[in-house]
Amino acid sequence: MITFNEKTRIFHLTNKSISYYIYLNQEQRLEKLYFGPYLSEISNADAIRKANVDNNSTQFYDDKDHQEKTFLDQFKSNYALLELSSHGVIDKRGAPIILRYKDGSRITEFLYVEHRINQGILPLKDMPHALDHDDAETLEILLKERNHNVYVKYFLTIYKDKDILVKNFEIINHEKEEVQIERAFSMQLDLPCMDYRLVHFSGRWAKERDYKVNDIVDGVQEVTSNYGRSSHEENPFVYLMEKNATMNHGEVIGFNMIYSGNFKWRSFTDYFHNLHITYGINDEDFLWVINPNESFVTPQCVISYSSKGVDKMSQNFHAFIKENLITYPYEKDYKPILFNSWEGCYFDFTTDSIVSYIDDAKKIGSELFVLDDGWFGRRDNDYDGLGDWYVNEKKVDLHRVIEHCHKQNMKFGIWFEPEMVNPLSDYYQNNPHCILKEDNNPLTIARHQFHLDFSNPKVVDDIYEQMVKILDAYEIDYIKWDYNRVVYETYSYAFGKERQGEIYHRLVLGYYSLLSRLIERYPHIMFEGCASGGGRFDLGTLYYCPQIWCSDESDPIQRMFIQYNTSLGYPLSTMGAHANANPITSYQTKAQIALFGTYGYEMNPNRLSEKEMEELSEVAKIYKEYHQSVIENGTLYHISSPNETNFLGLQSVSKDQSTSLFLFMNLLKDGDRYRFVRLQGLDPEAYYWNSYDQQTFKGEYYLKVGMNFSRDWFDEFRCLLIELKRVEN
Ligand code: GLA
């Protein structure tokens, strides 16, 4: 998959579907030649590289013989497409790495030393990372800073059967003195054209991942989070689409980062209209010190390439996330239907009321009961309790609840918010420096809670000890891991003043360290991520948690947009989705939407009527029949976007093409009239029965003619969940 031609000095990474070419020029710099659909050879690098620049190369003045000279190989250092731009010199596009040495210099120029080709992908220590199953190769290039003993290892992985690349850097200090890292992005990708639109997903609480499209503009454009988490405000998943690209046509390049903290995706276009993309940990409030012989490893960036439109880019990500990222050992298995207590009773429950919830939850098909916030410390409202992780025995007999749940043949799960503390809690009262704060500054409080200083391993240990006591004493099958505020005062008393620029990243490492220790100790527990809904929906979290609560917005119409947009970058199986008590639509509609995720419920089940129970049980049956093959392990097609049309159309097809579910939801009743809606992913030669008009057609008919919706009346929010099953003709 990866070759280096000594003669032409060209690296070629290919899986016969995509190609990535790098040229090692005579100046020992890495120039990007090509990234796109498979290209069998580039015999003459100059044919490409000289087109990118005007033919003159950059001149330099040689002090030794007082002469102006031309860079070798006619290298044009400011406009060549590069793999790793320099800082402090002629290249003004924004280097991915900026260092400051003891002498104050910040010139950072890395030149090639050697390379090797590794089988597989190299795991990162203490950080989530991509996995391989003998299906990847990694090019590892060692570069040295021109004037300092600082090295960079540039890792670039290609997968055999997925159009996915993974990039990151390791910065190694072999100087005798410390070196400061002012910027440590994970990648650079230079493209020879700027005719793209940028799709990114900004939002807020209960409106996560809103679809936004901007033209790539001249100059700089950024998508960032500086909230300490991947955030509601922007998601680390973004993509570029060629200006005329659609769901099924045109070039689309997706980006994501295996990381849960601050990030910065940045594009810069130069006057040749080259597009220079860098991506990594946000450099705002970042300053990392590496001592001699230490190194800093950046998180991995994942790039998905499609020359066949948005859907293929999404499908690449879906397959990669399911097969090469999530470490949960039962990922490909059936995910139980989850009942969550939160919206049904909030903090107000007793042992008896929870037992009666469990009984009724069972009746609508639930297989996992989750007791949300309120079971611990003095937690009767959100002013107290966080940080005091012991069961509030006055309020709830947890042994009885769990026993009852397990007797009903249901799993039992519980809520934690490990990174937070309330000022009234015993833990905070006894450890006033356990939080992020700077004594001279006002201390921001949000939802009556402080952010624990998870950069301090002692604080992480304390919380670990408390959690272990509970998890050893109670049979718990699932944990919902919440995170309900962002980081403000980023100051840690565990570190000296020169290390404060490290705190944001150290908080993320603390999060990962607690999660991984718990997972190692309790491998049977399934963790679900959460952050005031979907404020930490990212690849870093998915490495540990196979699903993430998608949003606190469960009202079906808003939810539908959130789920649709999330599914452009993340598999349905990762999206926690519940039917709730909102009166806007029927339970059936709400359940059908939730079914295109990891299905669950969130309401007071004692209040459901017989009819509502029946409706929900029917959808639960469909989930049980189809979830594993169609939703969990199937292929997703975005048939129609609610961002652009009057209806949402999502179709998922099992790998063997024998079954499919098609979710159709109408928005405005006076919107478009539908005639035919073409489906995808079916075997054109096979015959399929469909549950909409109960007819059987050949696969090619659904693909080419489509389902005939023109005889139907589509009221506001009318929702259809259509099953398709292969039948013998
Ligand atoms: C957050 C979560 C909710 C719920 C509450 C409990 O807002 O997103 O689902 O768990 O916390 O306090």
Side-chain angles (χ1 to χ4, degrees):
M1 287 201 288
I2 303 178
T3 53
F4 178 64
N5 184 326
E6 305 270 350
K7 223 165 99 218
T8 59
R9 299 171 66 95
I10 292 177
F11 293 96
H12 183 197
L13 293 86
T14 186
N15 56 12
K16 293 279 160 74
S17 169
I18 54 170
S19 282
Y20 195 104
Y21 281 96
I22 301 170
Y23 173 61
L24 172 60
N25 74 17
Q26 302 292 339
E27 286 288 329
Q28 301 298 93
R29 302 188 199 240
L30 302 168
E31 291 187 39
K32 226 290 302 300
L33 288 181
Y34 173 84
F35 175 39
Y38 175 61
L39 180 68
S40 63
E41 63 167 41
I42 294 180
S43 47
N44 174 5
D46 281 356
I48 291 182
R49 53 193 291 271
K50 296 242 172 97
N52 288 326
V53 297
D54 42 63
N55 268 336
N56 307 317
S57 57
T58 310
Q59 312 294 308
F60 66 95
Y61 187 75
D62 192 335
D63 247 353
K64 285 189 212 103
D65 50 13
H66 310 290
Q67 282 198 24
E68 278 194 24
K69 292 188 178 169
T70 298
F71 275 132
L72 290 176
D73 215 3
Q74 296 208 322
F75 171 56
K76 176 99 178 155
S77 54
N78 45 345
Y79 296 113
L81 302 186
L82 290 171
E83 291 296 297
L84 181 47
S85 276
S86 301
H87 178 78
V89 289
I90 189 170
D91 184 350
K92 297 290 179 193
R93 290 169 295 182
I97 298 172
I98 304 179
L99 305 177
R100 183 194 284 264
Y101 318 99
K102 242 344 205 216
D103 61 9
S105 166
R106 295 166 73 234
I107 294 178
T108 314
E109 275 195 291
F110 288 104
L111 303 177
Y112 171 92
V113 178
E114 61 184 25
H115 75 270
R116 54 195 250 196
I117 295 163
N118 300 297
Q119 291 307 310
I121 181 160
L122 305 168
L124 306 189
K125 205 172 150 272
D126 305 330
M127 251 198 300
H129 53 84
L131 310 167
D132 78 278
H133 311 287
D134 295 328
D135 57 347
E137 272 184 16
T138 301
L139 174 60
E140 176 182 338
I141 303 178
L142 182 71
L143 302 106
K144 182 183 170 301
E145 209 287 320
R146 182 191 285 282
N147 293 314
H148 296 90
N149 285 318
V150 181
Y151 290 79
V152 157
K153 282 187 187 168
Y154 166 31
F155 298 98
L156 175 54
T157 300
I158 183 161
Y159 281 86
K160 210 192 284 173
D161 53 3
K162 293 182 189 83
D163 293 346
I164 289 281
L165 296 173
V166 179
K167 286 187 169 209
N168 79 314
F169 298 118
E170 179 177 2
I171 305 162
I172 308 152
N173 180 13
H174 286 314
E175 286 282 278
K176 294 212 169 56
E177 292 170 314
E178 68 174 42
V179 169
Q180 293 180 346
I181 308 176
E182 295 190 343
R183 180 187 294 158
F185 286 168
S186 300
M187 61 144 253
Q188 172 170 342
L189 180 71
D190 285 359
L191 299 168
C193 142
M194 60 169 282
D195 290 332
Y196 294 99
R197 282 181 291 163
L198 169 67
V199 180
H200 60 112
F201 300 88
S202 51
R204 55 171 165 77
W205 177 77
K207 201 173 193 299
E208 294 89 341
R209 291 170 292 287
D210 219 10
Y211 181 84
K212 300 281 160 56
V213 195
N214 308 359
D215 278 346
I216 284 289
V217 292
D218 288 306
V220 172
Q221 192 159 192
E222 292 180 345
V223 180
T224 69
S225 163
N226 62 359
Y227 291 87
R229 60 184 179 190
S230 45
S231 89
H232 293 83
E233 287 74 7
E234 287 284 1
N235 192 270
F237 164 58
V238 301
Y239 60 91
L240 294 173
M241 56 196 289
E242 216 180 341
K243 283 216 167 127
N244 57 359
T246 65
M247 236 353 135
N248 301 306
H249 302 280
E251 184 173 71
V252 181
I253 307 173
F255 301 84
N256 208 331
M257 187 154 74
I258 308 178
Y259 194 58
S260 307
N262 292 346
F263 65 87
K264 182 185 276 184
W265 185 97
R266 177 183 187 271
S267 69
F268 173 77
T269 49
D270 63 35
Y271 68 74
F272 286 103
H273 286 181
N274 290 323
L275 180 58
H276 169 80
I277 295 157
T278 48
Y279 193 11
I281 295 178
N282 196 338
D283 53 346
E284 186 184 316
D285 287 327
F286 177 88
L287 185 69
W288 193 277
V289 181
I290 32 173
N291 287 321
N293 298 319
E294 276 183 4
S295 74
F296 181 82
V297 180
T298 66
Q300 292 170 335
C301 275
V302 188
I303 301 172
S304 164
Y305 184 83
S306 162
S307 55
K308 298 194 186 82
V310 177
D311 243 355
K312 181 69 177 48
M313 179 277 304
S314 294
Q315 289 160 0
N316 295 341
F317 269 132
H318 295 171
F320 167 80
I321 292 168
K322 287 192 275 194
E323 291 161 22
N324 300 95
L325 182 75
I326 294 176
T327 50
Y328 179 63
Y330 312 106
E331 167 53 18
K332 293 212 167 68
D333 296 357
Y334 172 79
K335 297 262 175 58
I337 297 181
L338 188 159
F339 188 99
N340 181 296
S341 65
W342 180 243
E343 288 189 24
C345 57
Y346 298 103
F347 296 108
D348 187 14
F349 55 83
T350 61
T351 308
D352 286 342
S353 71
I354 290 300
V355 163
S356 85
Y357 266 42
I358 293 173
D359 291 340
D360 282 344
K362 172 90 185 164
K363 291 184 194 148
I364 48 175
S366 310
E367 297 158 309
L368 160 65
F369 184 89
V370 178
L371 181 57
D372 207 278
D373 199 351
W375 57 269
F376 54 90
R378 292 179 295 265
R379 186 84 168 163
D380 286 324
N381 51 47
D382 49 15
Y383 283 87
D384 199 351
L386 294 175
D388 293 342
W389 297 105
Y390 58 85
V391 177
N392 181 348
E393 285 169 1
K394 279 196 217 124
K395 185 169 178 181
V396 61
D397 178 348
L398 200 57
H399 281 300
R400 193 181 137 210
V401 166
I402 296 177
E403 205 176 297
H404 186 77
C405 198
H406 285 159
K407 259 202 205 128
Q408 295 277 20
N409 215 6
M410 287 162 76
K411 292 180 188 271
F412 180 78
I414 204 155
W415 182 94
F416 280 99
E417 192 176 358
E419 295 144 278
M420 300 293 163
V421 74
N422 288 116
L424 296 179
S425 68
D426 296 339
Y427 186 69
Y428 178 69
Q429 295 294 327
N430 297 329
N431 302 278
H433 271 119
C434 67
I435 61 168
L436 297 170
K437 66 171 169 185
E438 199 175 26
D439 283 341
N440 298 327
N441 277 315
L443 180 55
T444 317
I445 192 152
R447 206 196 181 196
H448 323 294
Q449 62 197 53
F450 297 138
H451 198 299
L452 281 172
D453 180 3
F454 258 45
S455 68
N456 182 353
K458 161 82 173 61
V459 174
V460 177
D461 283 350
D462 288 350
I463 300 298
Y464 173 77
E465 294 305 333
Q466 291 199 48
M467 290 178 78
V468 157
K469 268 196 200 135
I470 292 172
L471 300 176
D472 283 349
Y474 295 88
E475 267 185 73
I476 286 169
D477 309 297
Y478 160 107
I479 288 175
K480 176 174 170 188
W481 183 302
D482 214 332
Y483 183 74
N484 279 311
R485 65 162 283 181
V486 300
V487 182
Y488 296 121
E489 291 77 25
T490 326
Y491 197 90
S492 164
Y493 281 96
F495 290 89
K497 61 178 185 315
E498 70 293 350
R499 295 269 172 181
Q500 296 302 321
E502 302 181 3
I503 301 309
Y504 268 120
H505 182 54
R506 287 190 184 277
L507 292 174
V508 182
L509 296 179
Y511 165 53
Y512 294 150
S513 107
L514 182 58
L515 251 174
S516 47
R517 281 165 78 184
L518 291 169
I519 288 171
E520 198 177 312
R521 186 165 172 146
Y522 308 100
H524 67 281
I525 295 183
M526 178 168 89
F527 287 77
E528 175 157 355
C530 178
S532 302
R536 199 155 58 174
F537 207 112
D538 57 61
L539 298 185
T541 298
L542 284 174
Y543 176 84
Y544 305 99
C545 308
Q547 60 194 57
I548 301 174
W549 179 227
C550 202
S551 173
D552 275 347
E553 181 58 271
S554 282
D555 296 353
I557 310 306
Q558 296 234 141
R559 231 320 161 127
M560 182 196 71
F561 283 90
I562 297 170
Q563 289 184 201
Y564 180 91
N565 294 335
T566 305
S567 77
L568 291 166
Y570 302 91
L572 294 180
S573 58
T574 63
M575 294 160 30
H578 301 167
N580 73 351
N582 169 288
I584 292 173
T585 66
S586 68
Y587 269 113
Q588 192 189 36
T589 297
K590 289 179 288 201
Q592 287 171 339
I593 290 168
L595 189 134
F596 266 66
T598 52
Y599 183 55
Y601 305 114
E602 193 152 338
M603 76 277 283
N604 181 343
N606 305 150
R607 295 209 186 116
L608 292 170
S609 67
E610 283 291 314
K611 186 171 165 288
E612 288 167 340
M613 282 210 164
E614 254 170 54
E615 274 179 21
L616 291 173
S617 308
E618 278 310 304
V619 182
K621 272 193 215 142
I622 298 179
Y623 179 86
K624 286 177 188 174
E625 183 177 347
Y626 292 97
H627 178 75
Q628 192 175 358
S629 61
V630 178
I631 303 287
E632 182 76 45
N633 296 313
T635 307
L636 182 68
Y637 297 88
H638 296 87
I639 302 293
S640 173
S641 164
N643 301 310
E644 283 148 11
T645 69
N646 191 43
F647 79 97
L648 164 139
L650 277 176
Q651 187 198 358
S652 198
V653 184
S654 65
K655 274 224 163 81
D656 65 2
Q657 297 177 298
S658 66
T659 36
S660 175
L661 286 176
F662 175 45
L663 179 70
F664 171 94
M665 180 156 196
N666 190 53
L667 295 175
L668 305 175
K669 69 177 170 211
D670 285 330
D672 308 330
R673 288 284 155 76
Y674 308 112
R675 287 283 291 150
F676 293 91
V677 176
R678 289 187 187 136
L679 300 187
Q680 298 216 42
L682 302 174
D683 175 357
E685 295 306 317
Y687 284 83
Y688 294 89
W689 166 87
N690 79 74
S691 64
Y692 173 58
D693 58 16
Q694 310 281 335
Q695 296 200 52
T696 296
F697 298 106
K698 211 172 167 184
E700 65 164 0
Y701 179 88
Y702 291 103
L703 302 174
K704 294 176 184 165
V705 179
M707 302 214 50
N708 186 354
F709 284 161
S710 61
R711 286 166 294 179
D712 211 335
W713 172 249
F714 288 98
D715 229 333
E716 236 162 347
F717 310 146
R718 165 102 187 271
C719 191
L720 297 170
L721 180 68
I722 301 171
E723 303 163 52
L724 290 116
K725 286 189 196 181
R726 187 158 58 197
V727 290
E728 291 304 319
N729 186 26

